Amino acid sequence: FIKESALLTAGLVSAPLISFSQSSQIQTADSIYLIGPQKGYSPQIGTLLSTMTMMREWVISTVKDLSIEQLDFQIDDQSNSIGAMLLHLAATERYYQLNTFDEMKWGTWSEEVKNEWDVPSGLGEEGREKIKGNDIDYYLSKLEGVREVTKKEFAKRDDEWIMKSEPFFDNQLTNNYCKWFHVCEHESNHRGQMKFIVKRLPA
């Protein structure tokens, strides 16, 4: 995933940064379709966050009315449930927080963190066995809790930080913008899977 994101973001870095005026539209709770700067954030970070906010609202709208049985439903014994994917999204964001905000190398976090997030991060057979029986409020609270940390940490940083780059997966040069763009497009990918499952839920 990161290679494709890096190529896209490389184009953003090589091109002049967008100039935002004080009159630029600011996204609010009732204007999620306005992508752009937000109060309290640097221009590029605010614009990225507005995109992430829009995608999160789309995910929530897809799953908010599902029952526990529907959240646990699997198409087959190799597929992930919607509930498992929701927790997977929270785990992914948590790990990118540790990597970008705390500047930890991937996978070097504490055993306490791994015990909480490794299963939903990896999914697979263990995820299918352990992630079940939770209602929608459980999953949405996990997503919200992680996102609140992201928003607070974003507010402490500037556009120089979001463009900061380092070797990442496969030693590919990648910046923080690319990493957080992946968090957003990752939700888009799994939302598509969730919509596929929703249409196939038993009547």
Side-chain angles (χ1 to χ4, degrees):
F1 62 87
I2 203 69
K3 289 182 179 179
E4 290 80 358
S5 298
L7 291 174
L8 173 61
T9 309
L12 292 171
V13 175
S14 62
L17 295 182
I18 300 171
S19 176
F20 296 111
S21 69
Q22 292 296 320
S23 62
S24 295
Q25 294 282 4
I26 302 296
Q27 186 189 66
T28 61
D30 59 351
S31 60
I32 65 167
Y33 298 112
L34 293 177
I35 299 300
Q38 297 190 76
K39 185 177 181 180
Y41 300 92
S42 67
Q44 292 288 335
I45 292 177
T47 299
L48 173 63
L49 181 58
S50 71
T51 307
M52 293 169 60
T53 300
M54 180 179 70
M55 184 54 60
R56 175 59 57 81
E57 289 299 318
W58 289 354
V59 170
I60 293 173
S61 70
T62 301
V63 303
K64 62 184 178 65
D65 296 323
L66 298 181
S67 66
I68 294 176
E69 291 73 22
Q70 290 171 325
L71 290 165
D72 289 347
F73 177 77
Q74 295 174 210
I75 294 291
D76 54 45
D77 61 5
Q78 296 297 310
S79 66
N80 298 303
S81 68
I82 290 176
M85 285 189 281
L86 290 171
L87 203 56
H88 174 70
L89 295 182
T92 299
E93 185 163 348
R94 180 65 185 123
Y95 283 170
Y96 274 92
Q97 289 173 351
L98 294 169
N99 176 250
T100 61
F101 301 145
D102 298 337
E103 299 185 345
M104 300 179 69
K105 290 186 177 180
W106 201 265
T108 63
W109 15 92
S110 69
E111 287 304 311
E112 181 181 3
V113 171
K114 292 178 180 179
N115 288 338
E116 181 176 5
W117 294 113
D118 267 7
V119 171
S121 176
L123 293 178
E125 186 60 34
E126 191 172 10
R128 286 187 282 273
E129 291 177 1
K130 294 183 176 181
I131 307 174
K132 60 180 65 174
N134 306 302
D135 63 20
I136 190 59
D137 289 340
Y138 169 83
Y139 295 113
L140 295 186
S141 67
K142 289 286 187 180
L143 287 166
E144 181 180 2
V146 173
R147 179 55 53 87
E148 285 303 308
V149 173
T150 297
K151 290 163 67 176
K152 289 178 181 177
E153 293 298 323
F154 273 173
K156 299 176 184 177
R157 290 161 173 81
D158 56 21
D159 285 352
E160 182 178 353
W161 174 84
I162 201 72
M163 294 302 180
K164 180 182 177 182
S165 62
E166 65 173 1
F168 200 43
F169 287 131
D170 296 331
N171 213 35
Q172 184 82 22
L173 191 63
T174 308
N175 60 18
N176 287 328
Y177 204 126
C178 182
K179 292 176 183 180
W180 282 98
F181 172 79
H182 167 63
V183 173
C184 184
E185 64 87 16
H186 183 243
E187 292 204 12
S188 176
N189 175 60
H190 284 296
R191 178 178 178 251
Q193 295 175 327
M194 293 175 197
K195 292 178 69 177
F196 176 88
I197 294 174
V198 166
K199 290 182 178 179
R200 287 155 182 79
L201 289 171

